[in-house]
Every structure is written in C-alpha cells, then in structure tokens.
Amino acid sequence: MRGAKSAKWVAIAAVVALGATACGGGSDDKGSDSKAAVDPNGKFSVEVGEPQNPLQPANTMESNGSIVIRSLFSGLVDYDSSGKIVYVNAQSVDSKDNKTFTVKLKSGWKFHDGTPVTADSYVKAWNWAANPANKQTNSFWFSDIQGYDDVAPAKGKPKATTLSGLKVVDDNTFTITLSKALPYFVYKLGYEVFDPLPESFYKDPKAAGQHPIGNGPYKFVSWQHNKSIEVAKFDGYKGPNAAKNGGVIFKNYTSLETAYQDLKSNNVDVLRQIAPKDLPVYKQDLGDRAVDQAYSAIQTIAVAYYTKQWKDIDPKVIQGLSMAIDRNTITKTVLQGTREPATGWVAKGVLGYQPNAAGDVTTYNPTKAKALIKEGGGVPGNQIYIQYNADGGHKEWVEAVCNSITNATGVKCSGDSKADFQADLNARDAHEVKSLYRSGWVLDYPFNANFIRDLYGTKSDGNQGGFSNKTIDSEIAAADAAPTLEDSEKKYQEIEKQLPNYMPSIPLWYYKVNAGYSENVTGVKYAQDGDPILTGVQVKKK
Amino acid sequence: MGRYVARRLLQMIPVFIGTTLLIFLMVYALPGDPVRGLFGDKGASPQVIAQLRHEYGLDQPILVQYWHYMRDMILHADFGTQVASGRPVTDVLGSAFPVTLRLAAVAFAIEIVLGIALGIVSGLRAGRATDTGILLVTLLLISIPVFVLGFILQLVFADQLHWTDPSVNDPTNYGQLVMPGFVLATASLAYVTRLTRTSISENLRADYIRTAVAKGLPRRRVIGVHVMRNSLIPVVTYLGTDIGALMGGAVVTERIFNIHGIGGTIADAITRREGTTLVGLVTILVLVYLLASLLVDLLYAVLDPRIRYA
C-alpha cells in the first residue's frame, strides 16, 4: 500500500541485473498462514544496502535510504494498492480550484522526541528543503509551489528564503498555493520529500541525518555504517499503519547471492530481490515463501530524437521497430519470467493504468513491422544502436531485442555498451547517444501523469531523448488544467492512447518483484514500488 | 641501519605524491560526475547541483582540487568528504579498515602457517608421493577462481553441514572470518607452499648444510635453523607484497561473504566517481605497501647475516 519514490535507480541497476525466474502468477497473498503464534514485539531483519545519503527525507533518492526513511517518517497521505489516496497524518486535503490546497492535520501526533507535529513542522521543513543552500537532492519537488523561482532562481541570487505559497493558518492547518493548478498534486504529497521535520532538526541537520527523529511508525535506534540500521516500534504512533512487529533491523548486504544464502539459513528475514543465480531455484527452495508479483516500473527503449538519424523520422518506422520485438519470448526465455510484456507506457498499479493502451504497436508482427518501416521511408542508415549500461545486466536482453529486430525486419542492430551507469547517464545528459537508449522508470507517485508528463513533455526532467511534440505538450497542459482528478486521469489516458502515433519511446516490459522471506515471519507483502511493507510483517514466536 | 630506514622513508614521499596524483587524474578522466550521479535517471535541480559541486570543490580545475586535497590531508589529516553520504572519508576508512585488517590477518595467518608447513613437508620429501600430492593440491588451489571456491565452501559448510554461517554477520568474530580468510588465502597459500618447497629442496643440497650435518648437529637444528633461515628469503619477499594484495584485492571474497571492507569500498567509490574517497583509501594502501616492503628489506638482514644496511 505504499508507493511513490523517486529515481530508484540503484535498485533498477540491481533489479535489472536479475536474469531469471520461472514464470508464475502474481499471487501476493501468501503470508497469512498464521499457524505459529505471533510475537508483537519481535524484531525482524530486511536486506538493504548502505544508504548513499544521510537519512534526511528530502535528500534520499535511492531505494536503500528511502525504505529506512519511510519507516521513520509519515507524511500527509499515502496510497493503497489500486493507487487511491489514503490520509495518514492529514485529516483532509481540500481544494476548490486545484491551485490552493488546505491541509488539515490530525491532532495529537507527536515526533519521536515528544514534540508535537504541527502545521509549522511541515511548512518549515519544506521551506528548508526547497532552499538550494541546504543542498537537498530532491528540492525540485517543491517547484510546483508558488514562490519556488524566488527561492531557487535558475540564474542569479535568490530573492527569498521561504516559499510564498505556504501559509500556516493555525497549529493544525496550513495552505499550499501552487504556481498553477495541478489536479493531482495530492498524489505528489505522498512522496517522502514532503515529510515533516521536528524543531531539533534545524539545530544540526547533519547530525539529524545520522540520527533522524521522525513521526513515523518506527523510531530510530542506531546506525552502524555498512552493517545495520535498527529501528523500533514507536508506541505513540497514531497513523493507520501502526507496526505489527517490535522493530526492524536493516541489514547491510553487498551482494544478493549472500543475502539469499542467509535467507535460507534464516539469518535474514525479508529480501527485496533474488539474485539472478538463484532465480531458477528460489521457488523450490522457498515454496510459498517465494514472492513473484508485478510492481509499477517499466523498461523502454527511448529514441534520441536529437540525432540526425531520428530528427525527422516518420513515427511509422519506430512503430515498425516496436512490432519487430518479440516481447513474449524474450521475457520468458532471456529474462526468465522476471518481466511482463508491456502493452502501454503507464505501468500497472498506477491510477489511470489501462490495459492495451498501445494497441497493436506492442504486439509482435514481423510482416507488419517490415511494411511499416518501408512505408515510413526505412531506418536511415539501416543500422540502429541501443545504448545500455554494462553494469546493470542489460546485455542479454539488448542482444535478444536486437536479434529479434534484425530477424524480423533486416535492420542491422547492435548494443552500444557503456561501462557503467555513470558513463551511460553522462552520454545521455550530453546528448551523445548515437541512436536509441535503454531507459527505465519507477513510479514517483501512482498517477498516470508520472509516466507521461514527466517523461515526454518537452521540458520534463525525465525527457532526455529530446522528444518534443506540440500536440502532446498542449494536451498535457490541458490535462494539468482539468477541473478534477478524474478528468485529469481521463485526459492523460487519452494522451497515452495517442502516443503510438508519435512513439516517444518503445515500451518493452513491466518489472516484477522476485523476492522471498524466512520462516521467522508471516504477512510479508510488497507494495507497488517493489518494497516490502514493513509495518505489516508479523514475527513468529520462537 | 637508522640512516637506511630514514632514506627509505624519504623515498616514500615522491612515490606517495605520484600515486595520489595519478589516481586523482584517472578518476577525473572517467566519464561521469559524482554529483550528477546522485540524481540517477531523474533530472536534477541545477541550483542544487551547482551548490554541491561548489561545496566539494568540483567546480575548480583538477590541479587546484588536488592541491587543496593534499593540503588538507597533510596538514589536518582531513581526507575530504564523501559526496553522497556527506560522511568524512576518515570515518569511512575508520569503519572499513579494522574489518579488512582482521580479515587480512586471518588470511595471512592461514597463508603463513599452512603454506610454510606444507612447503617444508613437501620440500623435505621432494620427489616422493607426499610431495606430488601437495603439488597437485596447490595446483588445484591456484586454478580454482576465488568465487567458485567461495560458493562451494558456502554451500558445503554452511548450507549442508551447518558448521558455520554462510556470511559474516559480526566482523569482530574471528570464528566467522575463518572461511572467508581461507578463501582469500588460497591462491597465496599455494604460491607460498611452492616457493618454500623449491627453496628448501635446493638449500638441502647446499654446502653449508652438508657441513652442518657432518658436524653432527641434530636434524631438528639443521632443518629448523640452517635450512629454514636461508630458505625463507624468497618467501618473505612474497609475503611482504602479498599483505597489500590481501587488503585491497579482497573485493570478490568480501562480496561473497558480505564483509564491508576496503575492497568493496574502493569498488563503490570508483562506480560513484568519488575521487576523494578513492584517493584516501588508496593512499592508505600505498602506505601499507611501502611499509611492508621496508619491513621485508629489514627482515632480509635478520634472515641472512651477510646482508648489512649501513
């Protein structure tokens, strides 16, 4: 029931490194065999890596840190598994015009140090994080709020240090004014960058990053770098997702293989991923403790529209290339069932997901592929390259996709490997991609706009391929200006339905969680961002 | 002796400057940027990028960066700050180094004890079945890749026999470090055995040994003092250089057994383009190498009285 996280790229690199699994239905509801008695104070351990950043909510972009942050902090809202909003710390978030939002907090909430959570805890935290002087990696999330350009101007000195769009009304109420209306802004509020901070944070933010004090279901106990992070149940927690266990130990692993060995010996209780080496056997090893379920992330091949090759291309050519990829066979063989063929640009588990949005563009059809490419004037140079990072385990499927394209259409295709993710990003940022490149996306918030607006708008942050289309841009603007959330969702659905005519990228497949848990725990479920839901885990009595 | 040591220590300075500068330049030459890398696939706020780059001095020319870095390191023992975590590099070093030291110590002990013992046994019985057997085993150890051996031992001793844990949960527990220590030591162990064996079987035929035997010295003294002392010179040379390799080159072993030591930290620093962390770690390793080779040279004088350092 958890969602929203930005740039889970570390995990992507690792997840993608996974090669394999047997194909199976996503039965995610296996953990409730509560034959053994449950110990409500029992602690369990989860496999994570060392968080890259200090544990400050607005400074955590990668998955190792964000799973810890989300155990320690609770924000205003959260999502359920179908992508609907659930209020956590907020009593209500109302707006008449989708531009000014009034947030009412539930009263009586406290931080772990005993100080109350007030409207000021939010407003001050957001102002602090939005200020570039505080160097928070997620600060651009506040750019929707009025006054952001004064706090963080693109050029020149900042004119203000606080966002003019945030106003405290009373202890439990504050208002957010956006620079322009955004019907799904409430969805963004579920992201941990919008968490509140206690007064003690500002005295020494650096120390607070090592010893965070939050308002979430768990309180911080200790962080032994490169070894473990321990959190314990916070008894004063008032939210709907109170912990059903005594606490969590985030155990640091550098390799998934080792974590899996430890899982089999019950030395670690919950895994987030299974290593490629163990994917063929993990279902036999773990039985019904093996987890295989879809989550909201998609792999695509993006087109570098700034290159000579694609600058003035007829979208039919890209459609043809897309139809030349045999997604079913590749996900079943090369990727051993760890992916599910994509049928659109928006991933499953997101509000506004529609099956088969791309129509027949994602169906394998060699004859039609050939015809489309011919109709569109052919691929310039009759040769394409797919850029990928060699440290992410992408090589195998890139080769398979290339073979599929060449066999079906005769277009020559080869992989363009960059040594690692850094080098890959560097080439993308510098607009040095030769032809096509691999691009993965994990949801930030479970609303379809995240998969369309943030990737294919001309000025979007995630648009690295230079795709630009006036019709799409104006329709995105119209969808953002829609009077209600439902209208906006529908408009984005219509945009997705039109994307086959423009082909900003070639959708390949959706990700799946392949994970497992030990004999010590029950009730382990995974949210649509692929992470286990920690508060719901129950520890068996020993 | 004192002057010799002083001279050697002075020679370390140019080596030290050379290696650190080289590494600094090499990290700089790699494509990618540690600050941009923090943001991954998603776009980043240019203001924050600029602020971060400024804070870590990345907006300055590379030689200026190097100068600042060396100045802080030498004057204040400040190795800089990790870009992502904001932790001081000395902190990172402080948590990774003891772990690596312990692992290297275990591996080193296994290497010395097993390696030299096997070498002596096989050297004394050169040409016989025992010797052939030991040579075969060492050949096997040299040719099995570390990760294969690691996974096999893990499977057999942890999964099937349950004698030990599959990974290291507590790096202060020497019991848990035995298996990874053995895996780390295997290749070196085999070399030590082979070096010792050759050296001993050669020295057994030397004139001074014949003299010692003719004098009627007990066999134990002939082997233990006369043969051993001279035979150990090549072995000590090898062991000295191997200390550094055991510390910095344990990446694979560290990964298999989930040990958070220097090797993995170096690998991480490279993928994240964190020049400061990398140079800090390598500086320490360079110092270890330099000191170990000095120690080896001094040991020569102890082992062979003919060698004198003025």
Side-chain angles (χ1 to χ4, degrees):
Chain A
M1 333 277 144
R2 285 250 165 195
K5 123 176 346 170
S6 182
K8 204 164 114 174
W9 61 266
V10 170
I12 285 276
V15 166
V16 170
L18 311 189
T21 268
C23 196
S27 42
D28 40 80
D29 210 356
K30 290 165 184 162
S32 39
D33 53 320
S34 40
K35 278 172 218 148
V38 166
D39 174 6
N41 294 317
K43 291 196 168 189
F44 68 101
S45 55
V46 181
E47 166 271 324
V48 289
E50 171 82 358
Q52 271 188 36
N53 307 83
L55 294 172
Q56 300 159 331
N59 208 9
T60 297
M61 260 202 166
E62 42 77 51
S63 56
N64 293 327
S66 71
I67 188 172
V68 182
I69 289 284
R70 279 186 294 114
S71 72
L72 296 171
F73 289 88
S74 278
L76 296 169
V77 299
D78 205 342
Y79 326 101
D80 67 10
S81 54
S82 62
K84 293 254 165 60
I85 289 283
V86 176
Y87 290 116
V88 184
N89 196 176
Q91 181 78 49
S92 63
V93 181
D94 296 321
S95 176
K96 285 190 189 112
D97 54 1
N98 291 324
K99 194 167 180 234
T100 305
F101 292 81
T102 308
V103 180
K104 283 212 165 66
L105 299 178
K106 288 178 185 160
S107 57
W109 277 53
K110 283 196 164 54
F111 283 106
H112 302 151
D113 60 0
T115 53
V117 181
T118 63
D120 206 38
S121 316
Y122 281 92
V123 171
K124 208 171 165 188
W126 298 1
N127 278 323
W128 186 85
N131 191 340
N134 296 321
K135 293 165 297 220
Q136 299 291 293
T137 47
N138 281 340
S139 63
F140 65 93
W141 274 81
F142 299 99
S143 58
D144 294 322
I145 300 174
Q146 204 171 60
Y148 180 81
D149 288 338
D150 292 336
V151 174
K155 272 184 203 144
K157 288 214 164 130
K159 287 181 218 137
T161 50
T162 52
L163 297 162
S164 59
L166 296 177
K167 285 202 181 70
V168 177
V169 176
D170 60 46
D171 262 5
N172 288 321
T173 319
F174 66 100
T175 58
I176 311 165
T177 311
L178 306 183
S179 44
K180 60 177 198 265
L182 200 60
Y184 49 89
F185 181 70
V186 183
Y187 271 86
K188 294 197 171 189
L189 290 177
Y191 187 47
E192 57 258 32
V193 68
F194 292 104
D195 288 342
L197 290 169
E199 203 49 46
S200 62
F201 177 89
Y202 308 100
K203 272 181 222 142
D204 189 352
K206 220 173 187 180
Q210 299 296 318
H211 191 292
I213 290 170
N215 63 334
Y218 297 99
K219 59 180 184 229
F220 181 82
V221 178
S222 67
W223 182 2
Q224 288 176 277
H225 284 286
N226 281 323
K227 205 173 156 205
S228 64
I229 297 172
E230 193 176 337
V231 299
K233 182 181 179 173
F234 175 48
D235 291 323
Y237 186 66
K238 296 226 165 73
N241 55 333
K244 289 182 183 166
N245 46 62
V248 188
I249 296 159
F250 298 95
K251 213 168 158 188
N252 193 326
Y253 284 93
T254 46
S255 94
L256 293 174
E257 285 88 356
T258 317
Y260 185 69
Q261 290 285 351
D262 265 3
L263 178 75
K264 284 199 287 182
S265 326
N266 293 321
N267 279 338
V268 64
D269 296 319
V270 177
L271 292 197
R272 299 180 301 166
Q273 293 163 35
I274 304 279
K277 165 171 122 15
D278 304 308
L279 278 171
V281 294
Y282 87 105
K283 284 195 177 161
Q284 291 142 38
D285 283 355
L286 301 178
D288 58 3
R289 290 181 289 118
V291 173
D292 178 10
Q293 115 187 29
Y295 77 96
S296 308
I298 187 171
Q299 183 79 267
T300 61
I301 295 178
V303 182
Y305 275 103
Y306 49 78
T307 56
K308 229 183 201 171
Q309 183 173 31
W310 303 116
K311 209 182 248 165
D312 306 306
I313 200 74
D314 186 333
K316 276 187 183 143
V317 176
I318 317 238
Q319 286 174 1
L321 290 176
S322 174
M323 293 182 80
I325 301 168
D326 187 355
R327 293 172 181 75
N328 273 323
T329 311
I330 295 172
T331 48
K332 266 184 206 137
T333 55
V334 179
L335 294 165
Q336 299 195 44
T338 54
R339 306 283 188 282
E340 202 176 317
T343 55
W345 282 266
V346 175
K348 282 185 173 175
V350 169
L351 196 69
Y353 164 80
Q354 38 187 359
N356 265 331
D360 63 351
V361 169
T362 53
T363 336
Y364 178 57
N365 186 341
T367 6
K368 209 171 165 199
K370 226 173 183 170
L372 276 170
I373 290 180
K374 207 173 168 193
E375 235 175 278
V379 173
N382 206 35
Q383 161 93 45
I384 55 173
Y385 298 93
I386 302 173
Q387 176 178 309
Y388 64 97
N389 49 315
D391 61 346
H394 302 301
K395 187 167 186 270
E396 289 74 15
W397 69 254
V398 168
E399 276 172 4
V401 165
C402 264
N403 284 338
S404 182
I405 290 178
T406 309
N407 288 343
T409 65
V411 174
K412 272 185 235 151
C413 171
S414 47
D416 177 14
S417 143
K418 299 283 167 199
D420 53 20
F421 190 56
Q422 287 261 9
D424 181 42
L425 272 183
N426 206 44
R428 289 198 224 167
D429 283 354
H431 281 200
E432 281 166 2
V433 177
K434 270 196 269 182
S435 156
L436 307 165
Y437 63 95
R438 167 208 85 78
S439 171
W441 189 260
V442 188
L443 85 166
D444 292 321
Y445 45 92
F447 188 68
N448 55 0
N450 185 225
F451 284 81
I452 297 171
R453 175 190 192 260
D454 296 339
L455 281 170
Y456 306 123
T458 300
K459 285 187 179 159
S460 301
D461 290 327
N463 184 350
Q464 294 164 317
F467 173 78
S468 174
N469 183 286
K470 281 195 187 118
T471 325
I472 296 285
D473 278 348
S474 66
E475 282 186 33
I476 285 176
D480 279 355
T484 64
L485 186 70
E486 289 74 28
D487 281 347
S488 181
E489 177 194 337
K490 273 207 193 91
K491 286 203 165 135
Y492 272 112
Q493 285 182 327
E494 277 160 28
I495 299 178
E496 194 192 4
K497 284 240 156 93
Q498 289 176 37
L499 284 181
N501 303 328
Y502 307 105
M503 296 301 286
S505 70
I506 303 173
L508 289 178
W509 33 72
Y510 306 123
Y511 281 83
K512 288 210 275 184
V513 186
N514 298 101
Y517 49 94
S518 78
E519 287 160 355
N520 302 330
V521 290
T522 63
V524 185
K525 286 179 190 166
Y526 291 75
Q528 73 259 69
D529 61 357
D531 274 347
I533 300 163
L534 301 175
T535 47
V537 174
Q538 293 180 311
V539 182
K540 290 183 194 165
K541 261 189 186 138
K542 279 186 189 146
Chain B
M1 182 78 177
R3 281 186 59 191
Y4 175 77
V5 174
R7 206 167 64 226
R8 283 292 297 265
L9 289 175
L10 279 179
Q11 280 171 1
M12 285 183 191
I13 295 173
V15 176
F16 179 76
I17 294 177
T19 40
T20 46
L21 180 62
L22 210 62
I23 290 161
F24 225 89
L25 292 177
M26 285 196 288
V27 175
Y28 188 76
L30 287 172
D33 169 347
V35 172
R36 173 62 183 88
L38 291 176
F39 298 87
D41 260 340
K42 314 264 166 159
S45 139
Q47 302 90 341
V48 173
I49 289 199
Q51 285 274 355
L52 280 168
R53 288 181 63 85
H54 182 69
E55 177 177 328
Y56 295 108
L58 295 169
D59 48 355
Q60 284 165 324
I62 176 73
L63 286 175
V64 178
Q65 284 182 40
Y66 179 71
W67 165 247
H68 287 307
Y69 184 75
M70 291 309 280
R71 188 189 58 198
D72 289 348
M73 187 201 287
I74 291 163
L75 295 183
H76 313 290
D78 174 6
F79 284 71
T81 313
Q82 260 196 327
V83 172
S85 64
R87 290 172 71 202
V89 174
T90 34
D91 238 41
V92 178
L93 287 174
S95 64
F97 233 85
V99 179
T100 294
L101 271 184
R102 267 183 233 114
L103 177 67
V106 170
F108 200 59
I110 293 175
E111 183 181 335
I112 291 185
V113 174
L114 265 182
I116 296 187
L118 286 175
I120 293 175
V121 171
S122 109
L124 291 178
R125 296 193 164 73
R128 285 190 247 170
T130 338
D131 179 36
T132 323
I134 289 177
L135 281 182
L136 264 178
V137 171
T138 55
L139 185 68
L140 203 70
L141 288 183
I142 292 174
S143 45
I144 301 180
V146 174
F147 59 90
V148 175
L149 192 71
F151 282 128
I152 291 176
L153 291 189
Q154 221 173 29
L155 196 74
V156 173
F157 291 105
D159 272 5
Q160 290 172 353
L161 297 174
H162 296 289
W163 287 359
T164 170
D165 281 328
S167 73
V168 176
N169 293 308
D170 173 15
T172 51
N173 180 343
Y174 282 96
Q176 291 185 342
L177 284 176
V178 171
M179 189 158 70
F182 180 77
V183 171
L184 184 57
T186 43
S188 314
L189 184 156
Y191 287 120
V192 169
T193 305
R194 292 190 152 214
L195 275 175
T196 317
R197 172 196 174 270
T198 319
S199 190
I200 282 196
S201 60
E202 192 180 294
N203 280 331
L204 273 179
R205 286 192 289 274
D207 289 344
Y208 70 94
I209 296 298
R210 204 174 301 136
T211 316
V213 174
K215 264 202 309 198
L217 285 183
R219 183 174 161 79
R220 171 191 282 244
R221 195 167 162 77
V222 174
I223 306 288
V225 178
H226 295 262
V227 178
M228 286 284 284
R229 199 164 154 180
N230 267 293
S231 307
L232 282 183
I233 289 184
V235 180
V236 165
T237 314
Y238 178 77
L239 288 175
T241 51
D242 203 39
I243 292 184
L246 286 181
M247 292 179 66
V251 187
V252 177
T253 317
E254 284 180 4
R255 274 191 158 259
I256 297 173
F257 295 100
N258 198 36
I259 300 166
H260 302 280
I262 295 288
T265 316
I266 289 183
D268 279 354
I270 294 174
T271 48
R272 290 192 205 150
R273 306 288 188 269
E274 296 208 330
T276 48
T277 317
L278 190 63
V279 177
L281 291 164
V282 176
T283 305
I284 304 266
L285 282 183
V286 167
L287 286 179
V288 169
Y289 266 108
L290 290 175
L291 288 175
S293 68
L294 176 63
L295 204 69
V296 167
D297 286 348
L298 293 179
L299 269 178
Y300 285 163
V302 177
L303 290 172
D304 187 342
R306 285 170 302 183
I307 300 175
R308 290 264 180 275
Y309 297 119

